[in-house]
Amino acid sequence: MTETGFAESRDGTIVGYETSGAGPPLVLVHGAAVDRRCWAQVLPRLAERFTVHAMDRRGRGLSAREGGPYAIEREGEDIAAVAEAAGRDVFLVGHSYGALCSLHATAATDAIGRLVLYEPPITTPWRDVASPETLARLREIAAEQDHDRLLATVFRDLMRLSQRQVDALRGARRFWAACLDNAPPLVRESESVPRIEDCARFAGIGVPVRLLVGEASPPYQRPTADALARLLPGAEVVELPGQGHMAMADDPDMFAKALTTFAD
């Protein structure tokens, strides 16, 4: 049975989430271009072990109403509000841009007991996530409200997918339609990606951290995760064999096992 809940963030933003399962509290935070539905394949497996709260980040789905101007710190406060509604010693899992938001949540609440970060996008000396030229192009496309082109540009120029991969995603009509629904916030999120040195502010977080990286993900992901792990006390990097950026959908059994192993 699934129930819908709402939490109010510090700036008045209403954050919606769906709850299912029974057990210790687990909060799932999705990445860019998607919403809580991205967890659909793995959620039944997690609900066998946890009380799962799959939230929509601000500007999407159940959380469409925002109370103030955007900043990634506000996203952290949104997650903190859901975590506090879920209980104490919450297991927090963030994917992609949602992993960055989850890092910020650790500064906004003490309700988080452990943290999984799955391939957060971070600018490093070896990779600029979004160059000024790319950001300018995204702003131009967004102003034209061409969401299809905006999505394709984000997947190709920011996530570094090939045109063949982008065409395959567009061919998955249900997935692409969901992404089109969530396209408007993409520019502001692209503008909010931090540099690795900015992440030093999280060096004092006092919870266990595990960083997940897909073995088949682009080669910059592993050194980025290693660099972040060096900043976070006690963090470890775990590679998901044969997986890329969407293991929760491509191999939900493996992904669920990676989470439950860390919980144990």
Side-chain angles (χ1 to χ4, degrees):
M1 179 178 178
T2 299
E3 297 181 353
T4 301
F6 297 91
E8 185 173 350
S9 193
R10 291 181 187 175
D11 69 351
T13 294
I14 303 301
V15 186
Y17 55 92
E18 288 187 338
T19 301
S20 58
L26 170 68
V27 173
L28 299 175
V29 186
H30 63 80
V34 291
D35 53 33
R36 71 188 187 282
R37 291 174 288 179
C38 77
W39 305 104
Q41 297 301 314
V42 74
L43 199 148
R45 294 161 174 83
L46 296 175
E48 294 175 0
R49 170 72 184 274
F50 304 97
T51 300
V52 183
H53 308 273
M55 62 176 283
D56 278 326
R57 293 196 293 106
R58 59 172 54 203
R60 293 169 167 83
L62 299 171
S63 303
R65 183 180 132 198
E66 294 186 85
Y70 183 80
I72 193 170
E73 291 80 6
R74 304 292 81 75
E75 296 251 27
E77 293 167 1
D78 297 348
I79 297 167
V82 175
E84 290 168 0
R88 306 297 301 176
D89 197 27
V90 171
F91 186 2
L92 179 61
V93 178
H95 174 238
S96 195
Y97 187 80
L100 294 179
C101 301
S102 297
L103 262 180
H104 283 276
T106 64
T109 183
D110 61 359
I112 297 166
R114 65 185 56 237
L115 177 62
V116 165
L117 306 173
Y118 183 8
E119 297 189 350
I122 301 172
T123 290
T124 60
W126 52 86
R127 181 187 179 241
D128 192 357
V129 173
S131 67
E133 294 77 17
T134 299
L135 288 175
R137 185 160 61 252
L138 291 177
R139 294 188 197 103
E140 179 182 341
I141 297 171
E144 298 171 356
Q145 297 188 354
D146 188 343
H147 293 167
D148 186 273
R149 185 180 166 211
L150 180 63
L151 271 178
T153 303
V154 167
F155 284 136
R156 186 180 60 248
D157 295 353
L158 269 65
M159 299 184 184
R160 308 292 172 89
L161 301 184
S162 67
Q163 187 60 51
R164 181 178 179 179
Q165 290 173 311
V166 173
D167 290 342
L169 291 177
R170 186 182 276 112
R173 294 183 180 179
R174 183 175 297 180
F175 171 81
W176 195 259
C179 290
L180 288 174
D181 290 341
N182 298 307
L186 287 175
V187 175
R188 69 185 189 185
E189 294 174 7
S190 302
E191 294 172 332
S192 301
V193 170
R195 304 188 65 84
I196 188 64
E197 54 267 27
D198 297 331
C199 295
R201 75 182 78 173
F202 302 112
I205 67 174
V207 301
V209 180
R210 179 165 291 183
L211 293 108
L212 300 182
V213 178
E215 180 187 35
S217 291
Y220 59 78
Q221 290 286 9
R222 180 59 193 254
T224 298
D226 289 338
L228 183 57
R230 287 192 291 270
L231 294 174
L232 306 177
E236 61 176 338
V237 180
V238 173
E239 194 166 80
L240 301 176
Q243 298 305 304
H245 193 57
M246 294 293 290
M248 73 283 282
D250 295 334
D251 195 334
D253 286 328
M254 177 188 292
F255 188 78
K257 184 177 180 180
L259 298 190
T260 55
T261 299
F262 186 40
D264 290 337

